[in-house]
Amino acid sequence: NPNDPRLTWLQNDLASARNDPAITWIIVYMHFPFYVSGDKAMDKRDRAAIEPILKTQKVDVVFEGHQHSYERTLPVTDNGMTIDTVSCGSAPWSSCTDPKYPIYLVQGTAGAGLQPITFPSQPWSLVRINTAFGYNKVTVNGNQLTASFIDTNGTVLDTVTITKGKDLTPPVRSNGQPTGALPSSTTQTTISLNTNEAATCRYSTTSGTDYNL
């Protein structure tokens, strides 16, 4: 149900965080996973309602559970149909710069019996481990975040470091007013528009004027 108040809350909460200049990283936790090489995935209807919100609000990392194994993805969205294959470089794809979509981490290795990885590897799946118990340690240092899967012996089995540069993605504008040409007799008007993130509006009274970022 697109009018579900829980979706409204999620949209508003993530938008508030994304528009807060004091917040650099947005990490989402959920029990049922979107991306997993097993049979524990979230209901397709719930996923269809939630995943576009995570994409729009530029969530950085999503931790998932339910499947008792570990898995790390490339930056991915749109039910696996859109994959960012560039930002994480080459194998072992452990250093990502300005990924376009969330990176998903299944961390279901806290103590319950480990489960088999039953599905073939998908293009979005990078690392799959179901032979060790452990936890994930997240370290944030300014514009850099590192997430490491550490087993019960203290051995790092997988790690990914995400680095953010300056966000040069233009905000999405909508509902701009007024539209079209104003009468030549106009002496004042009110300009309004909506954006999907915090933005500064610059305008000119000269037709065709463009501004660079």
Side-chain angles (χ1 to χ4, degrees), residues 1-76:
N1 179 1
N3 298 317
D4 191 313
R6 293 171 296 181
L7 292 177
T8 302
W9 169 84
L10 179 64
Q11 170 70 33
N12 292 341
D13 191 62
L14 293 179
S16 176
R18 181 51 66 208
N19 291 330
D20 187 339
I23 295 177
T24 302
W25 299 97
I26 297 181
I27 301 174
V28 168
Y29 298 84
M30 62 176 65
H31 182 75
F32 290 96
F34 287 172
Y35 295 96
V36 61
S37 296
D39 59 359
K40 306 297 184 181
M42 180 179 288
D43 179 88
K44 292 181 179 179
R45 295 169 297 179
D46 292 338
R47 176 183 184 156
I50 296 171
E51 189 173 17
I53 298 175
L54 306 187
K55 175 184 178 182
T56 300
Q57 299 306 329
K58 303 178 183 178
V59 167
D60 298 297
V61 178
V62 180
F63 277 98
E64 310 171 306
H66 199 53
Q67 170 73 27
H68 296 171
S69 61
Y70 171 83
E71 188 161 8
R72 172 165 63 90
T73 74
L74 281 165
V76 61

Side-chain angles (χ1 to χ4, degrees), residues 4-184:
D4 191 313
R6 293 171 296 181
L7 292 177
T8 302
W9 169 84
L10 179 64
Q11 170 70 33
N12 292 341
D13 191 62
L14 293 179
S16 176
R18 181 51 66 208
N19 291 330
D20 187 339
I23 295 177
T24 302
W25 299 97
I26 297 181
I27 301 174
V28 168
Y29 298 84
M30 62 176 65
H31 182 75
F32 290 96
F34 287 172
Y35 295 96
V36 61
S37 296
D39 59 359
K40 306 297 184 181
M42 180 179 288
D43 179 88
K44 292 181 179 179
R45 295 169 297 179
D46 292 338
R47 176 183 184 156
I50 296 171
E51 189 173 17
I53 298 175
L54 306 187
K55 175 184 178 182
T56 300
Q57 299 306 329
K58 303 178 183 178
V59 167
D60 298 297
V61 178
V62 180
F63 277 98
E64 310 171 306
H66 199 53
Q67 170 73 27
H68 296 171
S69 61
Y70 171 83
E71 188 161 8
R72 172 165 63 90
T73 74
L74 281 165
V76 61
T77 190
D78 301 332
N79 196 23
M81 300 303 295
T82 306
I83 306 171
D84 176 4
T85 60
V86 175
S87 67
C88 295
S90 56
W93 303 282
S94 60
S95 181
C96 305
T97 301
D98 291 327
K100 295 180 180 179
Y101 314 115
I103 291 173
Y104 289 80
L105 296 168
V106 175
Q107 193 71 62
T109 57
L114 297 172
Q115 295 171 330
I117 296 172
T118 56
F119 291 2
S121 181
Q122 298 297 312
W124 41 260
S125 182
L126 291 179
V127 181
R128 309 192 300 174
I129 301 172
N130 72 329
T131 56
F133 295 102
Y135 64 97
N136 204 292
K137 179 181 179 180
V138 177
T139 304
V140 174
N141 184 13
N143 70 332
Q144 192 169 84
L145 180 151
T146 298
S148 300
F149 175 29
I150 303 173
D151 71 9
T152 52
N153 296 315
T155 302
V156 177
L157 301 183
D158 183 53
T159 189
V160 59
T161 296
I162 307 169
T163 303
K164 283 190 175 186
K166 183 178 180 181
D167 183 7
L168 298 179
T169 304
V172 177
R173 295 164 293 176
S174 61
N175 301 323
Q177 296 293 333
T179 59
L182 297 172
S184 58

